[in-house]
Coordinates of all heavy atoms in Angstrom, one line a residue:
M23 N 100.8 120.6 60.6 CA 99.7 121.3 61.2 C 99.8 121.2 62.7 O 100.1 120.1 63.2 CB 98.4 120.6 60.8 CG 97.2 121.1 61.5 SD 95.7 121.2 60.5 CE 95.8 122.8 59.8
K24 N 99.6 122.3 63.4 CA 99.8 122.3 64.9 C 98.5 122.0 65.6 O 97.4 122.3 65.1 CB 100.3 123.7 65.3 CG 101.7 124.0 64.8 CD 102.1 125.4 65.4 CE 103.5 125.7 64.9 NZ 103.9 127.0 65.4
S25 N 98.7 121.3 66.7 CA 97.5 121.0 67.5 C 97.0 122.3 68.2 O 97.7 123.3 68.3 CB 97.8 119.9 68.6 OG 98.7 120.5 69.6
A26 N 95.8 122.2 68.7 CA 95.2 123.3 69.5 C 96.1 123.6 70.7 O 96.2 124.8 71.1 CB 93.8 123.0 69.9
Y27 N 96.6 122.6 71.3 CA 97.5 122.7 72.5 C 98.7 123.6 72.1 O 99.1 124.5 72.8 CB 97.9 121.4 73.1 CG 98.9 121.5 74.2 CD1 98.5 121.8 75.5 CD2 100.2 121.2 73.9 CE1 99.4 121.9 76.5 CE2 101.2 121.3 75.0 CZ 100.8 121.7 76.2 OH 101.7 121.8 77.2
E28 N 99.4 123.2 71.0 CA 100.6 123.9 70.6 C 100.3 125.4 70.3 O 101.0 126.3 70.6 CB 101.2 123.2 69.4 CG 101.8 121.8 69.7 CD 102.2 121.1 68.5 OE1 101.4 121.2 67.4 OE2 103.2 120.4 68.5
L29 N 99.1 125.6 69.6 CA 98.7 127.0 69.3 C 98.5 127.8 70.6 O 98.9 128.9 70.7 CB 97.5 127.0 68.4 CG 97.7 126.4 67.0 CD1 96.4 126.3 66.3 CD2 98.7 127.3 66.2
A30 N 97.8 127.1 71.5 CA 97.5 127.8 72.8 C 98.8 128.1 73.5 O 99.0 129.2 74.1 CB 96.6 127.0 73.7
M31 N 99.8 127.2 73.5 CA 101.1 127.5 74.2 C 101.8 128.6 73.5 O 102.5 129.4 74.2 CB 101.9 126.2 74.2 CG 101.3 125.1 75.1 SD 101.0 125.6 76.8 CE 102.6 125.9 77.4
E32 N 101.7 128.7 72.2 CA 102.4 129.8 71.5 C 101.8 131.1 71.9 O 102.5 132.1 72.1 CB 102.3 129.6 70.0 CG 103.2 128.5 69.5 CD 103.1 128.3 68.0 OE1 102.4 129.1 67.3 OE2 103.8 127.4 67.4
R33 N 100.4 131.1 72.0 CA 99.7 132.4 72.4 C 100.1 132.8 73.8 O 100.3 133.9 74.1 CB 98.2 132.2 72.2 CG 97.7 132.3 70.8 CD 96.2 132.5 70.8 NE 95.5 131.4 71.4 CZ 95.1 130.3 70.8 NH1 95.3 130.1 69.5 NH2 94.4 129.4 71.5
L34 N 100.2 131.8 74.6 CA 100.6 132.0 76.0 C 102.0 132.6 76.1 O 102.3 133.6 76.8 CB 100.5 130.7 76.9 CG 100.9 130.8 78.3 CD1 100.0 131.8 79.1 CD2 100.9 129.4 79.0
D35 N 102.9 132.0 75.3 CA 104.3 132.5 75.3 C 104.4 133.9 74.8 O 105.1 134.8 75.2 CB 105.2 131.6 74.4 CG 105.5 130.3 75.1 OD1 105.4 130.2 76.4 OD2 105.8 129.3 74.4
A36 N 103.6 134.2 73.7 CA 103.5 135.6 73.2 C 102.9 136.6 74.1 O 103.3 137.7 74.2 CB 102.7 135.6 71.9
A37 N 102.0 136.2 75.0 CA 101.3 137.0 75.9 C 102.2 137.4 77.1 O 102.1 138.4 77.7 CB 100.0 136.4 76.4
D38 N 103.2 136.5 77.4 CA 104.1 136.7 78.5 C 105.5 137.0 77.9 O 106.3 136.1 77.7 CB 104.2 135.5 79.4 CG 105.0 135.7 80.6 OD1 105.4 136.8 80.9 OD2 105.1 134.7 81.4
P39 N 105.9 138.3 77.7 CA 107.2 138.6 77.1 C 108.4 138.1 77.8 O 109.4 137.8 77.2 CB 107.1 140.1 77.0 CG 106.1 140.6 77.9 CD 105.1 139.5 78.1
K40 N 108.3 138.0 79.2 CA 109.5 137.5 79.9 C 109.6 136.0 79.8 O 110.7 135.5 80.1 CB 109.3 137.9 81.4 CG 109.4 139.3 81.7 CD 109.4 139.6 83.2 CE 108.3 139.0 83.9 NZ 108.2 139.3 85.3
G41 N 108.6 135.4 79.3 CA 108.6 133.9 79.3 C 108.3 133.3 80.6 O 108.4 134.0 81.6
R42 N 107.8 132.1 80.6 CA 107.5 131.5 81.9 C 108.8 131.1 82.6 O 109.7 130.6 82.0 CB 106.7 130.2 81.6 CG 105.2 130.6 81.2 CD 104.5 129.4 80.8 NE 104.9 129.2 79.4 CZ 105.0 128.0 78.8 NH1 104.7 126.9 79.5 NH2 105.4 127.9 77.6
E43 N 108.8 131.5 83.9 CA 110.0 131.2 84.6 C 110.1 129.8 85.0 O 109.1 129.2 85.3 CB 110.0 132.1 85.9 CG 110.1 133.6 85.7 CD 110.0 134.4 86.9 OE1 110.4 133.9 88.0 OE2 109.6 135.5 86.8
K44 N 111.2 129.2 84.9 CA 111.4 127.8 85.2 C 111.7 127.7 86.7 O 112.4 128.5 87.3 CB 112.6 127.2 84.5 CG 112.5 127.3 83.0 CD 111.4 126.5 82.5 CE 111.4 126.6 80.9 NZ 110.2 126.2 80.4
L45 N 111.0 126.7 87.4 CA 111.2 126.5 88.8 C 112.2 125.4 89.0 O 112.2 124.4 88.3 CB 109.8 126.1 89.4 CG 108.7 127.2 89.3 CD1 107.4 126.6 89.9 CD2 109.1 128.4 90.1
T46 N 113.0 125.6 90.1 CA 113.9 124.6 90.5 C 113.2 123.5 91.2 O 112.0 123.6 91.6 CB 115.0 125.2 91.4 OG1 114.4 125.5 92.6 CG2 115.7 126.4 90.8
A47 N 113.9 122.4 91.4 CA 113.3 121.2 92.1 C 113.0 121.6 93.5 O 111.9 121.3 94.1 CB 114.2 120.0 92.1
E48 N 113.8 122.5 94.1 CA 113.6 122.9 95.5 C 112.4 123.8 95.6 O 111.6 123.7 96.5 CB 114.9 123.7 96.0 CG 114.7 124.2 97.4 CD 114.5 123.1 98.5 OE1 114.9 122.0 98.3 OE2 113.9 123.5 99.5
Q49 N 112.2 124.7 94.6 CA 111.1 125.6 94.6 C 109.8 124.7 94.4 O 108.8 125.0 95.1 CB 111.2 126.6 93.5 CG 112.1 127.7 93.7 CD 112.3 128.6 92.5 OE1 112.5 128.2 91.4 NE2 112.3 129.9 92.8
K50 N 109.8 123.8 93.6 CA 108.6 122.9 93.4 C 108.3 122.2 94.7 O 107.1 122.1 95.0 CB 108.9 121.9 92.3 CG 108.9 122.5 90.9 CD 109.2 121.5 89.8 CE 109.4 122.1 88.4 NZ 109.7 121.1 87.4
K51 N 109.3 121.7 95.4 CA 109.1 121.0 96.7 C 108.5 122.0 97.7 O 107.6 121.7 98.4 CB 110.4 120.5 97.2 CG 110.3 119.7 98.5 CD 111.6 119.3 99.1 CE 111.5 118.6 100.4 NZ 110.7 119.2 101.4
Q52 N 109.0 123.2 97.7 CA 108.5 124.2 98.6 C 107.1 124.6 98.3 O 106.2 124.7 99.2 CB 109.4 125.5 98.6 CG 110.7 125.4 99.2 CD 111.6 126.6 99.0 OE1 111.3 127.5 98.2 NE2 112.7 126.7 99.8
L53 N 106.7 124.7 97.0 CA 105.4 125.0 96.6 C 104.4 123.8 97.1 O 103.3 124.1 97.6 CB 105.3 125.2 95.1 CG 105.9 126.5 94.6 CD1 105.9 126.5 93.1 CD2 105.3 127.7 95.2
A54 N 104.9 122.6 96.9 CA 104.1 121.5 97.3 C 103.9 121.4 98.8 O 102.8 121.2 99.3 CB 104.7 120.2 96.8
D55 N 105.0 121.8 99.6 CA 104.9 121.9 101.0 C 103.9 122.9 101.5 O 103.1 122.7 102.4 CB 106.2 122.1 101.6 CG 107.2 120.9 101.5 OD1 106.7 119.8 101.2 OD2 108.4 121.1 101.7
I56 N 103.9 124.1 100.8 CA 103.0 125.2 101.1 C 101.6 124.7 100.9 O 100.7 124.9 101.7 CB 103.3 126.4 100.3 CG1 104.6 127.0 100.8 CG2 102.2 127.4 100.4 CD1 105.2 128.1 99.9
D57 N 101.3 124.0 99.8 CA 100.0 123.5 99.5 C 99.5 122.6 100.5 O 98.4 122.6 101.0 CB 99.9 122.9 98.1 CG 99.8 123.8 96.9 OD1 99.3 125.0 97.2 OD2 100.2 123.5 95.8
Q58 N 100.4 121.7 100.9 CA 100.0 120.7 101.9 C 99.8 121.3 103.3 O 98.8 121.0 103.9 CB 101.2 119.6 102.0 CG 100.9 118.5 103.0 CD 102.0 117.5 103.0 OE1 103.1 117.7 102.5 NE2 101.7 116.3 103.6
L59 N 100.6 122.2 103.7 CA 100.4 122.9 105.0 C 99.1 123.7 105.0 O 98.3 123.5 106.0 CB 101.5 123.9 105.2 CG 101.4 124.8 106.5 CD1 101.5 123.9 107.7 CD2 102.5 125.8 106.5
H60 N 98.8 124.4 104.0 CA 97.6 125.2 103.9 C 96.3 124.3 103.8 O 95.3 124.7 104.3 CB 97.6 126.3 102.9 CG 98.5 127.5 103.3 ND1 99.8 127.4 103.3 CD2 98.1 128.6 103.9 CE1 100.3 128.6 103.8 NE2 99.3 129.3 104.2
K61 N 96.5 123.2 103.1 CA 95.4 122.3 103.0 C 95.0 121.7 104.4 O 93.9 121.6 104.7 CB 95.7 121.2 102.0 CG 94.6 120.2 101.7 CD 95.0 119.2 100.6 CE 93.9 118.2 100.3 NZ 94.3 117.3 99.3
A62 N 96.1 121.4 105.1 CA 95.9 120.9 106.5 C 95.2 121.9 107.4 O 94.3 121.6 108.2 CB 97.2 120.4 107.1
K63 N 95.7 123.2 107.3 CA 95.1 124.2 108.1 C 93.7 124.4 107.8 O 92.8 124.6 108.7 CB 95.9 125.6 107.9 CG 97.2 125.7 108.5 CD 97.8 127.1 108.2 CE 99.1 127.3 108.8 NZ 99.6 128.6 108.5
L64 N 93.3 124.4 106.5 CA 91.9 124.6 106.1 C 91.1 123.4 106.6 O 90.0 123.6 107.1 CB 91.8 124.7 104.6 CG 90.4 124.8 104.0 CD1 89.8 126.1 104.6 CD2 90.5 124.9 102.5
A65 N 91.6 122.2 106.5 CA 90.8 121.1 107.0 C 90.6 121.1 108.5 O 89.5 120.9 108.9 CB 91.6 119.8 106.6
E66 N 91.6 121.6 109.2 CA 91.4 121.7 110.7 C 90.3 122.7 111.0 O 89.5 122.5 111.8 CB 92.8 122.2 111.3 CG 92.7 122.4 112.7 CD 94.0 122.9 113.3 OE1 95.0 123.1 112.5 OE2 94.1 123.1 114.5
R67 N 90.4 123.9 110.3 CA 89.4 124.9 110.6 C 88.0 124.5 110.1 O 87.0 124.7 110.8 CB 89.7 126.2 109.9 CG 91.0 126.9 110.4 CD 90.9 127.2 111.9 NE 89.8 128.1 112.2 CZ 89.2 128.3 113.3 NH1 89.6 127.7 114.4 NH2 88.2 129.2 113.5
E68 N 87.9 123.8 109.0 CA 86.6 123.3 108.5 C 86.0 122.3 109.5 O 84.8 122.4 109.8 CB 86.7 122.7 107.1 CG 86.9 123.7 106.0 CD 87.0 123.1 104.7 OE1 87.4 121.9 104.5 OE2 86.7 123.8 103.7
I69 N 86.8 121.4 110.0 CA 86.3 120.4 110.9 C 85.8 121.1 112.2 O 84.6 120.8 112.6 CB 87.4 119.4 111.3 CG1 87.7 118.5 110.1 CG2 87.0 118.5 112.5 CD1 88.9 117.6 110.2
F70 N 86.6 122.0 112.7 CA 86.2 122.7 113.9 C 84.9 123.5 113.7 O 83.9 123.4 114.5 CB 87.3 123.6 114.4 CG 87.0 124.5 115.6 CD1 86.9 123.9 116.8 CD2 86.7 125.8 115.4 CE1 86.6 124.7 117.9 CE2 86.4 126.6 116.5 CZ 86.3 126.1 117.7
L71 N 84.9 124.3 112.7 CA 83.7 125.2 112.4 C 82.5 124.4 112.0 O 81.3 124.7 112.4 CB 84.0 126.3 111.4 CG 85.0 127.3 112.0 CD1 85.4 128.3 110.8 CD2 84.3 128.1 113.1
N72 N 82.7 123.3 111.2 CA 81.5 122.5 110.8 C 80.9 121.8 112.0 O 79.6 121.6 112.0 CB 81.9 121.5 109.7 CG 82.0 122.1 108.4 OD1 81.3 123.1 108.1 ND2 82.9 121.6 107.5
Q73 N 81.6 121.5 113.0 CA 81.0 120.9 114.2 C 80.2 121.9 114.9 O 79.1 121.7 115.4 CB 82.1 120.4 115.2 CG 82.8 119.1 114.7 CD 84.0 118.8 115.6 OE1 84.5 119.6 116.4 NE2 84.4 117.5 115.5
Q74 N 80.7 123.2 115.0 CA 79.9 124.2 115.6 C 78.7 124.6 114.8 O 77.6 124.9 115.3 CB 80.8 125.5 115.8 CG 81.9 125.3 116.9 CD 82.6 126.6 117.1 OE1 82.7 127.4 116.3 NE2 83.2 126.7 118.3
I75 N 78.8 124.6 113.5 CA 77.7 124.8 112.6 C 76.6 123.8 112.8 O 75.4 124.1 112.9 CB 78.2 124.9 111.1 CG1 79.0 126.2 110.9 CG2 77.0 124.8 110.2 CD1 79.7 126.2 109.6
A76 N 77.0 122.5 112.8 CA 76.1 121.5 113.0 C 75.4 121.6 114.4 O 74.1 121.4 114.5 CB 76.8 120.1 113.0
A77 N 76.1 122.0 115.4 CA 75.5 122.2 116.8 C 74.5 123.3 116.7 O 73.4 123.2 117.3 CB 76.6 122.4 117.8
A78 N 74.8 124.4 116.1 CA 73.9 125.6 116.0 C 72.7 125.2 115.2 O 71.5 125.6 115.6 CB 74.6 126.8 115.4
R79 N 72.9 124.4 114.2 CA 71.7 124.0 113.4 C 70.8 123.1 114.1 O 69.6 123.2 114.1 CB 72.3 123.3 112.1 CG 71.2 123.0 111.1 CD 71.9 122.4 109.9 NE 70.9 122.2 108.8 CZ 71.1 121.6 107.7 NH1 72.4 121.1 107.5 NH2 70.2 121.4 106.8
A80 N 71.4 122.2 114.9 CA 70.6 121.2 115.7 C 69.8 122.0 116.8 O 68.7 121.6 117.1 CB 71.5 120.2 116.3
E81 N 70.4 123.0 117.3 CA 69.7 123.8 118.3 C 68.7 124.8 117.7 O 67.8 125.4 118.4 CB 70.7 124.7 119.1 CG 71.7 123.9 119.9 CD 72.8 124.7 120.5 OE1 72.8 126.0 120.3 OE2 73.6 124.2 121.2
G82 N 68.7 124.9 116.4 CA 67.8 125.8 115.7 C 68.1 127.3 115.9 O 67.3 128.2 115.7
N83 N 69.4 127.5 116.1 CA 69.9 128.9 116.3 C 70.4 129.4 115.0 O 71.6 129.3 114.6 CB 71.1 128.9 117.3 CG 71.5 130.3 117.7 OD1 71.2 131.3 117.0 ND2 72.2 130.4 118.8
A84 N 69.5 130.0 114.2 CA 69.7 130.5 112.8 C 70.8 131.6 112.8 O 71.6 131.6 111.9 CB 68.5 130.9 112.2
E85 N 70.7 132.5 113.8 CA 71.7 133.6 113.8 C 73.1 133.1 114.0 O 74.1 133.5 113.3 CB 71.3 134.5 114.9 CG 72.2 135.8 115.0 CD 71.8 136.7 116.1 OE1 70.6 136.9 116.3 OE2 72.7 137.3 116.7
E86 N 73.3 132.2 114.9 CA 74.6 131.6 115.2 C 75.1 130.8 114.0 O 76.3 130.8 113.6 CB 74.6 130.7 116.4 CG 75.9 130.1 116.8 CD 77.0 131.2 117.3 OE1 76.6 132.3 117.6 OE2 78.1 130.8 117.4
Y87 N 74.2 130.0 113.4 CA 74.4 129.2 112.2 C 75.0 130.1 111.1 O 76.0 129.8 110.5 CB 73.2 128.5 111.8 CG 73.3 127.8 110.5 CD1 73.9 126.5 110.4 CD2 72.7 128.3 109.3 CE1 73.9 125.8 109.2 CE2 72.8 127.6 108.1 CZ 73.4 126.4 108.1 OH 73.5 125.7 106.9
E88 N 74.3 131.2 110.8 CA 74.8 132.1 109.7 C 76.1 132.7 110.0 O 77.0 132.9 109.2 CB 73.7 133.1 109.4 CG 72.5 132.6 108.7 CD 72.9 131.9 107.3 OE1 73.8 132.4 106.6 OE2 72.3 130.8 107.1
K89 N 76.3 133.1 111.3 CA 77.5 133.7 111.7 C 78.7 132.8 111.5 O 79.8 133.1 111.0 CB 77.4 134.1 113.2 CG 78.6 134.9 113.7 CD 78.4 135.2 115.2 CE 79.5 134.5 116.0 NZ 79.4 134.6 117.4
L90 N 78.5 131.5 111.9 CA 79.6 130.5 111.8 C 79.9 130.2 110.3 O 81.0 130.0 109.9 CB 79.2 129.2 112.5 CG 79.2 129.4 114.0 CD1 78.6 128.2 114.7 CD2 80.7 129.5 114.5
R91 N 78.8 130.1 109.5 CA 79.0 129.9 108.0 C 79.9 131.1 107.4 O 80.7 130.8 106.6 CB 77.7 129.7 107.3 CG 77.1 128.4 107.6 CD 75.8 128.2 106.8 NE 75.8 128.7 105.5 CZ 75.9 127.9 104.4 NH1 75.8 126.6 104.6 NH2 75.9 128.4 103.2
E92 N 79.6 132.3 107.8 CA 80.3 133.4 107.3 C 81.8 133.4 107.8 O 82.7 133.7 107.1 CB 79.6 134.7 107.8 CG 80.4 136.0 107.4 CD 80.5 136.2 105.9 OE1 79.6 135.6 105.1 OE2 81.4 136.9 105.4
E93 N 82.0 133.0 109.1 CA 83.3 132.8 109.6 C 84.1 131.8 108.8 O 85.3 132.0 108.5 CB 83.3 132.4 111.1 CG 84.6 132.4 111.7 CD 84.6 132.0 113.2 OE1 83.5 132.2 113.8 OE2 85.7 131.6 113.7
L94 N 83.5 130.7 108.5 CA 84.1 129.6 107.7 C 84.5 130.2 106.3 O 85.6 129.9 105.8 CB 83.2 128.4 107.5 CG 83.7 127.3 106.7 CD1 85.0 126.7 107.2 CD2 82.7 126.1 106.6
R95 N 83.6 130.9 105.7 CA 83.9 131.5 104.4 C 85.1 132.5 104.5 O 86.0 132.4 103.6 CB 82.7 132.3 103.9 CG 82.9 132.8 102.4 CD 81.9 133.9 102.0 NE 82.0 135.1 102.9 CZ 82.9 136.0 102.8 NH1 83.9 135.9 101.9 NH2 82.9 137.1 103.6
R96 N 85.2 133.3 105.5 CA 86.3 134.2 105.7 C 87.6 133.4 106.0 O 88.6 133.8 105.4 CB 86.0 135.1 106.9 CG 85.1 136.3 106.6 CD 85.2 137.4 107.7 NE 85.0 136.8 109.0 CZ 83.8 136.7 109.6 NH1 82.7 137.0 109.1 NH2 83.8 136.2 110.9
E97 N 87.5 132.4 106.8 CA 88.7 131.6 107.0 C 89.3 131.0 105.7 O 90.5 131.0 105.5 CB 88.4 130.4 108.0 CG 88.1 130.9 109.4 CD 89.3 131.1 110.2 OE1 90.4 130.6 109.8 OE2 89.3 131.9 111.2
R98 N 88.4 130.5 104.9 CA 88.8 129.9 103.6 C 89.5 131.0 102.8 O 90.6 130.8 102.2 CB 87.6 129.4 102.8 CG 87.1 128.1 103.3 CD 86.0 127.6 102.4 NE 85.5 126.4 102.9 CZ 84.2 126.0 102.9 NH1 83.3 126.9 102.4 NH2 83.8 124.9 103.4
T99 N 89.0 132.2 102.7 CA 89.5 133.3 101.9 C 90.9 133.7 102.5 O 91.8 133.9 101.7 CB 88.6 134.5 101.9 OG1 87.3 134.1 101.4 CG2 89.1 135.7 101.1
V100 N 91.0 133.9 103.8 CA 92.3 134.3 104.4 C 93.3 133.2 104.2 O 94.5 133.5 103.8 CB 92.1 134.5 105.9 CG1 93.4 134.6 106.7 CG2 91.2 135.7 106.2
L101 N 93.0 131.9 104.4 CA 94.0 130.9 104.2 C 94.4 130.8 102.7 O 95.6 130.6 102.4 CB 93.5 129.5 104.6 CG 93.4 129.4 106.2 CD1 92.7 128.1 106.6 CD2 94.8 129.4 106.8
E102 N 93.5 131.0 101.8 CA 93.8 131.0 100.4 C 94.8 132.2 100.0 O 95.8 132.0 99.3 CB 92.6 131.1 99.5 CG 92.8 131.2 98.0 CD 93.3 129.9 97.5 OE1 93.2 128.8 98.1 OE2 94.0 129.9 96.4
E103 N 94.5 133.3 100.6 CA 95.4 134.5 100.4 C 96.8 134.2 100.9 O 97.8 134.5 100.3 CB 94.8 135.7 101.0 CG 93.6 136.3 100.2 CD 92.9 137.4 100.9 OE1 93.4 137.9 102.0 OE2 91.9 137.9 100.3
E104 N 96.9 133.7 102.1 CA 98.1 133.3 102.8 C 98.9 132.3 101.9 O 100.1 132.5 101.7 CB 97.9 132.7 104.2 CG 97.5 133.7 105.2 CD 97.3 133.0 106.6 OE1 97.5 131.8 106.7 OE2 96.8 133.7 107.5
R105 N 98.2 131.3 101.4 CA 98.9 130.3 100.6 C 99.4 131.0 99.3 O 100.6 130.7 98.9 CB 97.8 129.2 100.2 CG 98.4 128.1 99.3 CD 97.4 127.0 99.1 NE 96.4 127.5 98.1 CZ 96.4 127.3 96.8 NH1 97.4 126.7 96.3 NH2 95.4 127.8 96.1
E106 N 98.6 131.8 98.6 CA 99.1 132.4 97.4 C 100.3 133.4 97.7 O 101.2 133.4 96.9 CB 98.0 133.1 96.7 CG 97.0 132.2 96.0 CD 97.7 131.3 95.0 OE1 98.6 131.7 94.2 OE2 97.4 130.1 95.1
N107 N 100.2 134.1 98.8 CA 101.4 135.0 99.1 C 102.6 134.2 99.4 O 103.7 134.6 98.9 CB 101.0 135.8 100.3 CG 100.0 136.9 100.0 OD1 99.8 137.3 98.9 ND2 99.3 137.4 101.1
A108 N 102.5 133.1 100.1 CA 103.7 132.3 100.4 C 104.2 131.7 99.1 O 105.5 131.6 98.9 CB 103.3 131.2 101.4
K109 N 103.4 131.2 98.2 CA 103.8 130.6 96.9 C 104.5 131.7 96.0 O 105.5 131.4 95.4 CB 102.6 130.0 96.2 CG 102.2 128.7 96.9 CD 100.9 128.1 96.3 CE 101.2 127.4 95.0 NZ 100.1 126.6 94.5
N110 N 103.9 132.9 96.0 CA 104.5 134.0 95.2 C 106.0 134.3 95.7 O 106.8 134.6 94.9 CB 103.7 135.2 95.2 CG 102.5 135.0 94.3 OD1 102.5 134.2 93.3 ND2 101.4 135.7 94.6
K111 N 106.2 134.3 97.0 CA 107.5 134.5 97.6 C 108.5 133.5 97.1 O 109.6 133.8 96.8 CB 107.5 134.5 99.1 CG 106.8 135.8 99.7 CD 106.8 135.8 101.2 CE 106.1 137.0 101.8 NZ 106.1 136.9 103.2
V112 N 108.0 132.2 97.1 CA 108.9 131.1 96.6 C 109.2 131.3 95.1 O 110.3 131.2 94.7 CB 108.2 129.7 96.9 CG1 109.0 128.6 96.2 CG2 108.2 129.5 98.4
R113 N 108.2 131.6 94.4 CA 108.4 131.8 92.9 C 109.4 132.9 92.6 O 110.1 132.9 91.6 CB 107.0 132.1 92.2 CG 106.1 130.9 92.2 CD 104.8 131.3 91.5 NE 103.9 130.2 91.6 CZ 102.7 130.2 92.1 NH1 102.3 131.3 92.7 NH2 101.9 129.2 92.2
K114 N 109.3 134.0 93.5 CA 110.2 135.1 93.2 C 111.6 134.9 93.8 O 112.5 135.7 93.7 CB 109.6 136.4 93.8 CG 108.4 136.8 93.1 CD 107.8 138.0 93.8 CE 106.5 138.4 93.0 NZ 105.8 139.5 93.7
G115 N 111.8 133.8 94.5 CA 113.1 133.4 95.1 C 113.4 134.1 96.4 O 114.5 134.3 96.8
K116 N 112.3 134.5 97.2 CA 112.6 135.2 98.4 C 112.4 134.2 99.6 O 111.7 133.3 99.6 CB 111.6 136.3 98.6 CG 111.8 137.4 97.6 CD 110.8 138.5 97.8 CE 111.1 139.6 96.7 NZ 110.1 140.7 96.8

């Protein structure tokens, strides 16, 4: 009798006709480096913008507060897209 995990893995293999591509140790290292770099970039932007958000909130400037929160949301989205694009290039061997 197969476990639920084994059955799920079989379905996953069947759904992907090319099979899951194996990553080399170098590719895995590059993917980890990309994650680390983008995590640091995001942390830097969050710290900077959160300070500005806190200042706008303390001043009672609701318009500036909302503008900065929206900017932070956009920054997160852009950095996430950059990270995924970089990781896809590594996965494809480019």
Side-chain angles (χ1 to χ4, degrees):
M23 175 145 267
K24 293 183 180 180
S25 70
Y27 173 78
E28 291 170 325
L29 293 171
M31 292 306 292
E32 285 180 5
R33 283 193 302 268
L34 180 62
D35 288 339
D38 186 6
K40 292 190 302 184
R42 287 172 279 147
E43 296 179 24
K44 303 294 183 197
L45 298 175
T46 66
E48 179 61 27
Q49 285 174 314
K50 289 178 184 179
K51 182 185 178 313
Q52 289 175 346
L53 292 173
D55 290 345
I56 289 168
D57 280 336
Q58 185 177 9
L59 174 66
H60 283 79
K61 187 176 179 179
K63 283 182 180 181
L64 179 59
E66 178 184 0
R67 292 304 297 162
E68 283 181 339
I69 289 169
F70 175 74
L71 289 171
N72 281 331
Q73 288 173 343
Q74 291 185 333
I75 288 169
R79 188 175 184 187
E81 293 172 2
N83 189 343
E85 184 178 319
E86 183 70 13
Y87 173 79
E88 288 301 321
K89 182 179 116 185
L90 290 167
R91 285 180 45 106
E92 178 62 23
E93 183 177 344
L94 179 57
R95 187 196 62 75
R96 279 193 313 270
E97 290 279 338
R98 284 182 181 143
T99 302
V100 167
L101 287 171
E102 178 68 22
E103 288 173 2
E104 286 177 5
R105 181 177 70 94
E106 285 306 312
N107 288 338
K109 289 174 78 171
N110 285 334
K111 286 180 183 177
V112 168
R113 288 181 188 119
K114 291 177 183 177
K116 294 181 181 178

